[in-house]
Amino acid sequence: MATAIGRADVICTAVTDEADETLELLEDVRALPGVLGLESWTHLRVLKESY
């Protein structure tokens, strides 16, 4: 999770095993006080990821 400047105030990465888990997580985040909007996307395949 990181704070950001620009289009989003916060950017977060979440890993789930099932689409239903992802949907439940997104719905939980949307329900948090102060959340005015939420945008999500899915990686179909990760070729390389390093931090």
Side-chain angles (χ1 to χ4, degrees):
M1 181 177 285
T3 57
I5 296 173
R7 184 173 171 165
D9 294 326
V10 177
I11 298 171
C12 179
T13 299
V15 178
T16 60
D17 292 323
E18 301 290 333
D20 288 342
E21 285 181 83
T22 305
L23 181 58
E24 183 177 344
L25 175 63
L26 294 174
E27 290 173 345
D28 289 347
V29 171
R30 281 189 187 101
L32 293 172
V35 174
L36 303 177
L38 187 143
E39 181 178 337
S40 66
W41 64 89
T42 300
H43 296 284
L44 300 177
R45 181 183 306 150
V46 176
L47 301 175
K48 181 178 180 181
E49 187 174 58
S50 61
Y51 294 95

